Amino acid sequence: MTNSLTTHPIHPAVPEDAAWWRHAVIYQIYPRSWADADGDGIGDLPGVTARLEYLRALGVDAVWFSPFYKSPQADAGYDVADYRDIDPLFGTLADADAMVAKAHALGLKVIVDLVPNHSSDEHVWFQAALAAGPGSPERDRYMFRDGRGADGSEPPNDWHSVFGGDGWTRVTEADGTPGQWYLHLFDTKQPDFNWDNEQVRAEFEAILRFWLDRGIDGFRVDVAHGLVKEPGLPDYDAELHILDGEVQPGAPKPPMWDQDGVHEVYRAWRKILDSYGEPDRILCAEAWVRPQERAVRYVRPDEMHQAFNFDFLQAQWRAADLRAVIDSSLAAADSVGAPSTWVLSNHDVVRHASRLGLPVGQRRPNGIAADDPQPDRELGLTRARAATTLMLALPGGAYLYQGEELGLPESTDMPASFRQDPTFIRSKGEEIGRDGCRVPMPWTKDAPSFGFGPSEASWLPQPAIYGDYAVDQQDGVAGSTLELYRELLRVRRERQLGTGGLEDVDGFGDDVVALVNTGQGQRTLVLANLGAEPVALPAAATVLVASGALTADGLVPTDTTVWAAL
Ligand code: GLC
Ligand code: MG
């Protein structure tokens, strides 16, 4: 390599004073598993409040909380019984206010999860719907239908639940006779709302205001692509992997996902958020939608601010795949003037330190069990560090999932008796599900529950190896994953990589992703080497941070990403 790099612009810079959500790094807290103050083995809001300084020191801009609302916890809180109250497991509204106040005092914004596709079956509206009977206004707030067949004993259509099994459950009417059916794209205890009903729309607008008035900075919108269904609820018998947006080639468009009518809902919400003035309050879509041209319709200027880039999460560990997804994501987002929102892990997918330790080219598994092929732990961590180092150099927003900053692997040896994900239960163990990425955080190696709480209790068992990943084992330790994340976030901020332009660099060969980020008018080379041979940096490059050690003569080894000043 010579010193003069040939580059092609692939994304223009945005102004450095662009709105915060265009470049923010947002840390996802899964409340049950982050910090437990009262020792019942389930994380809680006082536990969070006590540890917020850790996030400040990590260097993130905001925190997103998975649901902490009142809930029977049939899907770990994604089954909400009261959208305006906190579940006693997690604390009280006063605890939430205290947590938000402390976060704000530390300069952290707070995003909460909003679950508008369905409620819990224990929500007062659903209970009222059951009591009121067919044809009532109460039933019209959910998706009740008569069954097929002479006696109505067949479900109204052939839709399945994302978690396995039927998408419909038949109710018993007040007089004891078998009655109508209701739709649940997820668990039986998660009835879908009817978004054609004006009361549902008005209720969610009021819920938005309730949290905005409490000072919340935004919402992550659960199953944002599911609210509106195709009229007539037509049968859909093609196989569908619903939570990754994949539709079989040639299959018709699924009638339950990504209907044009959802956008009207978000346009109405955007007006409400905008009415709160500056700094912007935001909406982030969880929308497993393909292709990217469809996905970015959720982030058109009058709709949401962000949408998770799940194509990046699902990309194979191959340089050509990563280059392609980076290029196409930025082009798609730029076409509507939105930032891309990068993510590698969350509470629904195998942790990337384990996912990237599986053979390249296979489909992403839904959980890993002890008798499945096991990920290569060392390889997975090496690649995960390289992947994160690549991700955090990309312009736009980024989400981190609790524990990834420790390089935490998936729990892959959890006995079936502990599993709680409805996926595991409804698929009768055929799908392992998501418990393995939801295990409580290790904070202190030599403490009960690795410092998760004051007792030994932990709602999911922590693998013994988690002790070695504990925060206290990595804090201040050069080369640890925690220190790598801190350094990446520090340099990202210093060089304003989140708002920079991006250029593709020629000449490094097929197995390398080489980019230049132009943040702050400087040139930062980002080089990820996925090939077998070490790669030389340009002579003038000064290494700023690297995901792993360079070779003795300063080359970038396999599965390593480097940021260098040019
Ligand atoms: C989203 C959530 C997932 C939940 C599902 C149903 O995909 O991320 O955890 O199970 O929606 O609410
Ligand atoms: Mg607790």
Side-chain angles (χ1 to χ4, degrees):
M1 275 310 297
T2 64
N3 263 334
S4 64
L5 299 175
T6 311
T7 65
H8 312 275
I10 55 175
H11 164 76
V14 299
E16 273 170 28
D17 61 357
W20 66 274
W21 48 270
R22 289 188 174 273
H23 51 82
V25 177
I26 302 178
Y27 182 97
Q28 179 187 359
I29 288 187
Y30 196 64
R32 336 179 110 236
S33 301
W34 203 59
D36 177 22
D38 63 6
D40 66 350
I42 301 182
D44 43 48
L45 289 173
V48 171
T49 305
R51 289 205 184 267
L52 280 174
E53 277 92 355
Y54 168 80
L55 295 182
R56 168 85 196 162
L58 182 60
V60 298
D61 303 293
V63 190
W64 150 37
F65 287 87
S66 279
F68 43 42
Y69 312 109
K70 202 150 189 282
S71 161
Q73 307 288 327
D75 183 21
Y78 282 94
D79 50 319
V80 180
D82 184 347
Y83 291 86
R84 295 180 180 79
D85 205 355
I86 307 293
D87 196 273
L89 275 179
F90 302 123
T92 62
L93 269 178
D95 292 330
D97 290 342
M99 183 275 290
V100 174
K102 171 110 179 263
H104 284 165
L106 290 168
L108 297 167
K109 296 198 184 295
V110 177
I111 291 169
V112 297
D113 221 304
L114 185 73
V115 189
N117 181 67
H118 45 264
S119 70
S120 162
D121 64 337
E122 298 182 30
H123 190 285
V124 286
W125 276 11
F126 193 75
Q127 290 301 313
L130 290 180
S136 62
E138 287 83 355
R139 268 197 192 182
D140 190 56
R141 296 189 289 221
Y142 291 91
M143 304 290 286
F144 280 88
R145 294 289 184 280
D146 294 331
R148 292 202 272 209
D151 53 0
S153 64
E154 300 290 319
N157 71 20
D158 66 358
W159 296 3
H160 298 291
S161 155
V162 173
F163 295 152
D166 279 345
W168 295 89
T169 293
R170 192 173 196 183
V171 304
T172 304
E173 302 298 355
D175 63 4
T177 58
Q180 287 194 300
W181 299 71
Y182 66 88
L183 175 68
H184 50 87
L185 292 180
F186 295 89
D187 192 66
T188 324
K189 287 183 69 61
Q190 293 168 295
D192 280 50
F193 281 116
N194 170 19
W195 274 87
D196 289 333
N197 181 295
E198 281 311 317
Q199 288 179 33
V200 171
R201 293 188 184 231
E203 173 66 358
F204 273 89
E205 294 183 4
I207 292 165
L208 287 177
R209 291 182 194 280
F210 176 87
W211 289 102
L212 291 167
D213 289 343
R214 296 192 99 84
I216 287 299
D217 301 291
F219 303 88
R220 174 266 189 191
V221 180
D222 191 64
V223 199
H225 57 317
L227 276 49
V228 174
K229 280 79 179 173
E230 189 176 322
L233 311 183
D235 279 341
Y236 186 76
D237 53 13
E239 195 200 340
L240 187 63
H241 301 287
I242 296 174
L243 275 191
D244 61 12
E246 233 171 68
V247 177
Q248 284 195 326
K253 191 172 157 33
M256 67 293 275
W257 305 125
D258 192 34
Q259 300 295 306
D260 287 343
V262 291
H263 296 284
E264 218 178 280
V265 175
Y266 304 131
R267 280 193 279 267
W269 291 6
R270 178 62 177 261
K271 289 202 184 90
I272 295 175
L273 271 83
D274 284 351
S275 75
Y276 281 77
E278 292 197 354
D280 291 348
R281 317 280 186 111
I282 72 157
L283 297 167
C284 175
E286 187 220 15
W288 296 85
V289 169
R290 281 194 179 142
Q292 283 171 327
E293 290 65 38
R294 290 287 304 181
V296 298
R297 298 168 86 237
Y298 291 78
V299 286
R300 288 178 289 191
D302 58 347
E303 297 193 36
M304 301 212 198
H305 302 75
Q306 302 179 326
F308 293 109
N309 182 348
F310 290 127
D311 282 357
F312 181 69
L313 182 152
Q314 304 197 91
Q316 296 290 339
W317 189 245
R318 288 190 285 243
D321 293 45
L322 292 170
R323 277 195 305 265
V325 74
I326 291 168
D327 267 34
S328 62
S329 308
L330 289 169
D334 286 340
S335 75
V336 294
S340 185
T341 302
W342 311 97
V343 59
L344 287 164
S345 279
N346 65 33
H347 66 293
D348 290 330
V349 302
V350 170
R351 286 181 172 278
H352 69 284
S354 295
R355 203 172 65 231
L356 294 173
L358 292 169
V360 174
Q362 70 176 31
R363 218 193 126 70
R364 173 170 71 81
N366 185 359
I368 302 173
D371 53 3
D372 288 331
Q374 295 297 297
D376 179 327
R377 197 182 298 147
E378 200 185 326
L379 180 69
L381 181 57
T382 302
R383 289 182 172 172
R385 291 168 56 118
T388 301
T389 304
L390 175 62
M391 175 177 87
L392 289 175
L394 300 176
Y399 278 76
L400 306 178
Y401 177 51
Q402 64 174 48
E404 69 165 86
E405 76 279 19
L406 306 176
L408 215 58
E410 184 88 355
S411 164
T412 58
D413 58 0
M414 191 182 297
S417 58
F418 285 97
R419 294 198 178 274
Q420 300 198 14
D421 183 352
T423 310
F424 181 77
I425 296 153
R426 291 182 64 89
S427 73
K428 306 196 169 55
E430 218 158 279
E431 296 278 333
I432 296 306
R434 303 160 295 174
D435 295 299
C437 64
R438 299 175 172 180
V439 171
M441 277 274 286
W443 294 90
T444 313
K445 183 173 185 180
D446 296 312
S449 63
F450 297 132
F452 167 57
S455 74
E456 288 288 358
S458 168
W459 71 281
L460 288 174
Q462 295 166 301
I465 50 158
Y466 270 29
D468 296 334
Y469 294 83
V471 173
D472 77 328
Q473 299 298 295
Q474 303 198 37
D475 189 17
V477 176
S480 72
T481 304
L482 178 57
E483 291 302 337
L484 171 66
Y485 270 70
R486 288 175 176 161
E487 190 64 4
L488 292 170
L489 291 168
R490 190 183 65 71
V491 178
R492 176 185 160 95
R493 187 183 299 263
E494 199 174 87
R495 297 178 80 85
Q496 311 248 19
L497 301 182
T499 53
L502 204 66
E503 301 170 3
D504 213 351
V505 185
D506 282 352
F508 280 99
D510 290 347
D511 294 335
V512 171
V513 182
L515 302 161
V516 169
N517 184 311
T518 65
Q520 223 179 32
Q522 308 181 91
R523 295 180 72 74
T524 307
L525 174 68
V526 183
L527 187 147
N529 179 14
L530 283 77
E533 298 304 320
V535 170
L537 292 166
T542 310
V543 174
L544 299 164
V545 40
S547 67
L550 303 192
T551 66
D553 31 8
L555 306 181
V556 182
T558 305
D559 291 335
T560 303
T561 303
V562 164
W563 296 358
L566 290 175

